[in-house]
Amino acid sequence: MSRVSRVAALHRALASQAGQPVLFGDLVRAVWGDEPPAKPLPALRTLVRRLRQSVDDEIVTDVSGYRLVTRPQGPAQLPADLPDFVGREEELTALAGSDAPVLAITGPPGVGKTALAIRLAHRIRDRFPDGQLHLNLRGFATGPAVTVEQALGRLLRSLGVPPANVPLDRAEQIELYRSKLRGRRVLVVLDNATELSALVPDVEGCGAIVTSRNELPGQVRLDVLTDDEAGALLDRLKIDGPAADRAELIRLCANLPLALRIAGAHLADRHLSDYLAELRGDGRLDALEIEGDAAVRAAFELSYQSLPDDARRLFRLLGVYPGTDFDVTDAAVLGHLSTEDGARQVGVLVRAGLVQQAGDRFQLHDLIRLFASEQVGVDGPAALRRLLSFYLATARAAAELATPAVKRLDPLPLDVEGLVFAAADDARAWLDAKRAVLVAAVQVAPHPFASHLADSLRGYLNYSGYRQELNMVLATGLASARAAGDVVCQTAMLNGRGHLQWMLGAYDEALASFGEAAELTTSDRMRAAVLNNRGLVKRDTGDLVGALEDLGEAVRLWRLHPDERDILAAMLFNLGTVHGARAELRKAIAYFEEAKQLAEANGSVINLATALEDIGIAHRELGEYEEARRHLEAARAGYQEGGAAEGEPNVLFNLAVVAAETGDPEKARTLALRSLETAREFGELRVEAEALVVLEDLQAAVELADRIGYPVARRKAQLKLARHDPGLAEELVRDVRDNGDLLLEARAVLVLAEATGDVALAREALELARSREQGAVVARAEAFLGAQPPANGGSTSS
């Protein structure tokens, strides 16, 4: 059978059970039948690599086999087409017939750019079978516009990139965006853009439709509707009346579709002649001097003035809403209303044509929002404060369930109560649904709301992988706190920023942020939290003395407050890991056991899993592999039970090391591959580097470790590279000793002995390993010494 036939046979075998793992043995039989190769598993891995290069489907490595995950359908984000769309056939024909990669539609506000863009997108969507993306960039709206980085993050997530894998750097985002589009045919619709930017895919086969009020290259600039088109729109809106009255309405609305639709909603139960009299009245419009903006505003004004007083008040207050769309609860909070009254009044605004409805979500056209914000007056600040109070109270309640281990600022006294959640899943669901508006709310919030809302969101945004949004809210919260001279909020924001920088591997920046925060702390608890985090960065960069000092002080300060034992448990974990890195393994286990007892007493599934994981790692270093495996498997089950999938990559890596050191390389490889996949999914770069070491992709491990400033993984890779390179082995021993990496010292000395055949060095490694109870190193050193010939050439005498 040819190689191509074998690849096809493998694909058929996997596709026959798509989504389910197929055992290695079954796949070997499906490909080679009764004549398998001498080394079937390596041959199967080679074939899987070739299949991955030839199909779009994902081939996932499981513990006992492979499974095929079919390529999901592309995103389909186009809004619904307007049922009453009329005219624009000339423009549609020109745009649909163009082969330009960017179709730009420009024109004044209210002229129908978005409606034409959506109609065009639906007309040409068949050319883009891999999906259609849509973004409203809010380039001309009140409130914060969508930044290029935010937009790229949303587009990347829509293309299947896990949130944690979306980089913060714009250039890296752009490259990833284009790489995800290469080989695909995807349409990107960018509404309300101010310019052509990197959001336009510069990728063969992909296209973009862009709307803007500004001039753009290659644009089709819209004018108002012709009289015939405007008349057709009135027909669709079922506006009857004498021809002269219809013509006057069209003229008074300046042939603008937005103004005509507002008028149509207003005329649902009125006579056209009465409406015209009102539109002419009070000098609102001079038909001889009418311009588009004036026409739209006149239509808004007339519809607004005809509202009941309560609905008119709510409409004004919607002008301070910071997000793109809202729900009935948001409206009720803004208006200080019951949910029932809020729903009724929103319904009135929908029927008046001032609010657009899509399911249970509502939004205002940018011009209508601007008009509302101009009417809001003195009631606006109080309404915004109510909304921010509601969001802050609810976000804090959600965060306490979704990320209970995160230390937060003391709560603010608030004017409004928030929602209450029954379970962590409900809390996360609310945060997921409200993420965009919560980020926007931080950007418009006054002090101290900006800092407190950012503080409540930071745990969720970090652990969910929304690090671009996290970076934005922390920067906004810090600027707000600095402007107000609030050192408590500054400390919290700097602590959050340091943690983000640490997660991204920017260790120098993280140490600077934590150092500044430590200088500002005003309480034992906050100082303990900051020192704990700084100690972890020092641990990861090899400064074990500094780490021990910071983490020891953090534990001492937190013990002064016997409540909040979950946080004390987390600090004990961290202190134990430093003792472990110093090869003080029994002392490390003692701290882990204390943390385990606290977790069991508190019923904390996640903290218990963390303690079990750390105990397992310590036993692995001691060479007590059955104990290590038992604790690590229990930890993995705990993370799964607690819904903390982000904890699995490190557990899988350590299980892979146990398998490798107990003579099961195939299982080690399988576990390491799974660790690598999940580490990449959650953006855990340190675990990714460690998994690459187990997989023997040593050069890639060194490059990644150096890029993120994680010397531990680099040294572990060099331990393997140096086995046959005495120069590298000697350099590694110096590096380990210069940096006080006691856990790796015996291993490094033994590698140098193996590379040089130096028995004296092997004895030194043996003594170091015995003093630190590193059982695996002891066994390897003894094996090396046992294989050496006696010094006198092998003769003995009795």
Side-chain angles (χ1 to χ4, degrees):
M1 183 184 292
S2 69
R3 288 185 178 181
V4 173
S5 300
R6 289 192 184 109
V7 170
L10 176 61
H11 194 204
R12 284 194 299 273
L14 290 167
S16 68
Q17 301 182 54
Q20 301 298 319
V22 185
L23 297 178
F24 294 126
D26 292 342
L27 291 172
V28 170
R29 282 188 291 274
V31 173
W32 286 280
D34 296 331
E35 298 180 1
K39 295 182 178 180
L41 291 181
L44 182 61
R45 284 199 299 272
T46 299
L47 213 58
V48 167
R49 281 198 297 271
R50 296 187 66 236
L51 179 60
R52 282 172 170 153
Q53 293 169 358
S54 62
V55 298
D56 290 332
D57 299 330
E58 182 181 6
I59 314 299
V60 177
T61 304
D62 280 314
V63 173
S64 56
Y66 294 102
R67 59 189 168 90
L68 180 145
V69 180
T70 56
R71 179 176 174 176
Q73 288 187 333
Q77 298 180 347
L78 295 182
D81 199 2
L82 278 177
D84 57 11
F85 185 91
V86 298
R88 308 298 193 192
E89 277 305 320
E90 182 178 339
E91 293 91 343
L92 269 171
T93 300
L95 288 163
S98 172
D99 59 0
V102 181
L103 304 175
I105 302 170
T106 65
V111 79
K113 300 182 294 296
T114 298
L116 176 59
I118 300 306
R119 170 58 61 97
L120 173 63
H122 281 283
R123 181 170 291 191
I124 65 175
R125 67 184 300 170
D126 290 346
R127 301 179 200 169
F128 301 94
D130 293 316
Q132 306 86 40
L133 299 164
H134 175 266
L135 269 181
N136 179 1
L137 299 176
R138 295 172 53 86
F140 306 95
T142 58
V146 178
T147 67
V148 172
E149 289 83 0
Q150 280 181 295
L152 284 165
R154 294 178 192 178
L155 291 169
L156 286 167
R157 290 193 290 269
S158 298
L159 291 168
V161 178
N165 290 359
V166 176
L168 286 184
D169 181 74
R170 181 190 290 198
E172 292 179 15
Q173 286 181 326
I174 293 168
E175 178 52 38
L176 182 58
Y177 175 48
R178 290 174 179 166
S179 72
K180 284 294 176 182
L181 291 175
R182 288 188 189 105
R184 297 187 180 188
R185 301 185 65 82
V186 175
L187 177 65
V188 182
V189 181
L190 303 170
D191 202 13
N192 293 308
T194 56
E195 60 182 353
L196 295 183
S197 68
L199 303 176
V200 174
D202 185 17
V203 175
E204 184 178 357
C206 295
I209 300 172
V210 184
T211 74
S212 181
R213 297 181 195 176
N214 297 340
E215 301 278 331
L216 297 178
Q219 68 188 13
V220 169
R221 189 155 187 87
L222 290 191
D223 200 350
V224 297
L225 297 174
T226 67
D227 287 345
D228 288 344
E229 289 171 337
L233 178 56
L234 294 184
D235 291 339
R236 293 281 181 89
L237 297 172
K238 299 181 179 179
I239 298 177
D240 296 322
D245 285 353
R246 282 166 53 98
E248 185 175 3
L249 177 63
I250 291 169
R251 187 171 67 254
L252 291 174
C253 287
N255 291 59
L256 282 165
L258 179 60
L260 287 166
R261 285 194 173 91
I262 295 291
H266 197 69
L267 282 163
D269 55 359
R270 307 186 64 191
H271 294 297
L272 177 55
S273 57
D274 294 338
Y275 180 80
L276 289 172
E278 291 183 53
L279 198 58
R280 298 188 207 101
D282 299 327
R284 285 196 184 93
L285 288 175
D286 182 339
L288 298 177
E289 298 178 359
I290 189 169
E291 294 182 359
D293 187 54
V296 173
R297 286 174 175 274
F300 293 169
E301 177 70 25
L302 195 58
S303 190
Y304 166 70
Q305 291 297 341
S306 68
L307 292 170
D309 288 345
D310 55 358
R312 192 185 311 145
R313 173 180 172 273
L314 177 59
F315 173 74
R316 292 195 302 269
L317 298 180
L318 288 172
V320 303
Y321 184 73
T324 301
D325 55 11
F326 60 92
D327 58 26
V328 166
T329 300
D330 296 324
V333 171
L334 276 171
H336 200 38
L337 305 167
S338 67
T339 303
E340 293 76 12
D341 282 345
R344 178 182 57 78
Q345 292 180 27
V346 170
V348 172
L349 298 176
V350 170
R351 289 189 292 276
L354 295 172
V355 168
Q356 299 166 330
Q357 181 173 5
D360 60 354
R361 309 294 301 169
F362 305 88
Q363 61 181 6
L364 282 69
H365 186 283
D366 289 347
L367 285 178
I368 299 177
R369 183 188 296 273
L370 176 61
F371 177 80
S373 69
E374 292 171 347
Q375 315 303 314
V376 68
V378 296
D379 294 334
L384 180 60
R385 182 183 176 89
R386 278 195 300 273
L387 185 71
L388 292 172
S389 295
F390 170 73
Y391 280 162
L392 178 54
T394 307
R396 186 178 181 94
E400 287 172 350
L401 281 173
T403 55
V406 176
K407 171 64 179 168
R408 280 171 281 273
L409 287 165
D410 292 336
L412 285 178
L414 299 173
D415 303 335
V416 176
E417 293 183 356
L419 300 176
V420 176
F421 302 100
D425 285 348
D426 299 327
R428 279 189 287 267
W430 184 85
L431 289 165
D432 287 340
K434 289 292 188 181
R435 186 184 71 252
V437 70
L438 291 171
V439 171
V442 174
Q443 293 173 267
V444 301
H447 188 75
F449 285 101
S451 300
H452 277 260
L453 191 51
D455 185 63
S456 292
L457 293 174
R458 66 184 177 89
Y460 158 75
L461 291 172
N462 179 54
Y463 293 118
S464 300
Y466 297 108
R467 290 169 184 166
Q468 204 283 327
E469 287 90 341
L470 176 57
N471 188 50
M472 179 177 293
V473 299
L474 289 171
T476 302
L478 180 58
S480 174
R482 280 178 169 159
D486 186 334
V487 295
V488 173
C489 285
Q490 285 181 66
T491 304
M493 296 298 96
L494 287 163
N495 185 46
R497 188 171 71 176
H499 188 269
L500 174 60
Q501 291 162 335
W502 172 48
M503 294 296 292
L504 294 171
Y507 295 118
D508 289 342
E509 293 88 340
L511 288 171
S513 292
F514 287 135
E516 187 179 352
E519 293 296 321
L520 293 172
T521 52
T522 58
S523 70
D524 287 344
R525 291 190 178 196
M526 195 65 216
R527 182 167 180 78
V530 173
L531 291 177
N532 173 75
N533 290 338
R534 189 173 70 178
L536 291 174
V537 180
K538 289 181 177 180
R539 178 199 66 185
D540 287 352
T541 53
D543 179 8
L544 299 182
V545 174
L548 199 61
E549 180 181 326
D550 278 353
L551 288 165
E553 179 66 2
V555 168
R556 186 192 71 79
L557 289 171
W558 206 268
R559 286 191 193 277
L560 300 175
H561 305 279
D563 56 337
E564 297 191 70
R565 291 184 293 176
D566 274 354
I567 294 178
L568 175 59
M571 291 179 175
L572 289 167
F573 302 146
N574 299 333
L575 183 55
T577 63
V578 177
H579 283 291
R582 287 167 56 88
E584 299 164 349
L585 296 169
R586 298 297 177 188
K587 187 176 287 187
I589 289 176
Y591 281 114
F592 299 149
E593 288 287 358
E594 183 183 355
K596 177 185 169 207
Q597 292 169 9
L598 288 172
E600 287 173 334
N602 293 345
S604 174
V605 174
I606 303 301
N607 277 351
L608 179 58
T610 304
L612 290 167
E613 178 185 9
D614 288 337
I615 293 169
I617 293 169
H619 281 296
R620 191 208 80 207
E621 289 289 347
L622 289 164
E624 298 167 353
Y625 292 117
E626 285 308 312
E627 281 292 293
R629 186 180 288 111
R630 181 170 65 84
H631 281 90
L632 290 169
E633 291 287 6
R636 186 182 182 190
Y639 286 131
Q640 292 172 342
E641 179 187 348
E646 67 275 5
E648 283 198 69
N650 201 57
V651 175
L652 288 164
F653 150 69
N654 281 287
L655 284 168
V657 174
V658 170
E661 294 187 354
T662 53
D664 192 345
E666 191 60 39
K667 185 174 183 181
R669 180 174 178 80
T670 300
L671 288 165
L673 281 170
R674 183 63 182 145
S675 172
L676 183 66
E677 290 171 359
T678 53
R680 286 172 173 168
E681 179 182 347
F682 290 104
E684 291 284 357
L685 297 177
R686 289 166 294 159
V687 181
E688 181 180 341
E690 300 256 28
L692 288 168
V693 175
V694 179
L695 292 166
E696 302 283 342
D697 195 348
L698 302 176
Q699 195 56 47
V702 170
E703 290 173 0
L704 176 58
D706 285 343
R707 176 164 65 83
I708 65 174
Y710 184 44
V712 172
R714 174 174 50 76
R715 292 175 192 140
K716 288 180 179 179
Q718 288 173 329
L719 281 172
K720 295 189 175 186
L721 289 167
R723 286 172 182 167
H724 306 291
D725 186 340
L728 178 59
E730 192 172 344
E731 179 186 329
L732 178 60
V733 170
R734 282 197 301 269
D735 180 35
V736 165
R737 285 176 165 164
D738 287 347
N739 287 279
D741 192 341
L742 303 180
L743 201 59
L744 287 185
E745 184 182 13
R747 294 179 190 271
V749 173
L750 181 57
V751 165
L752 179 57
E754 293 168 338
T756 60
D758 190 322
V759 173
L761 282 172
R763 291 195 183 103
E764 181 183 352
L766 177 61
E767 292 307 312
L768 285 170
R770 281 175 173 165
S771 69
R772 293 162 187 170
E773 298 186 68
Q774 292 177 275
V777 186
V778 169
R780 207 171 99 198
E782 289 176 338
F784 174 83
L785 289 167
Q788 304 306 306
N792 62 4
S795 62
T796 59
S797 60
S798 57

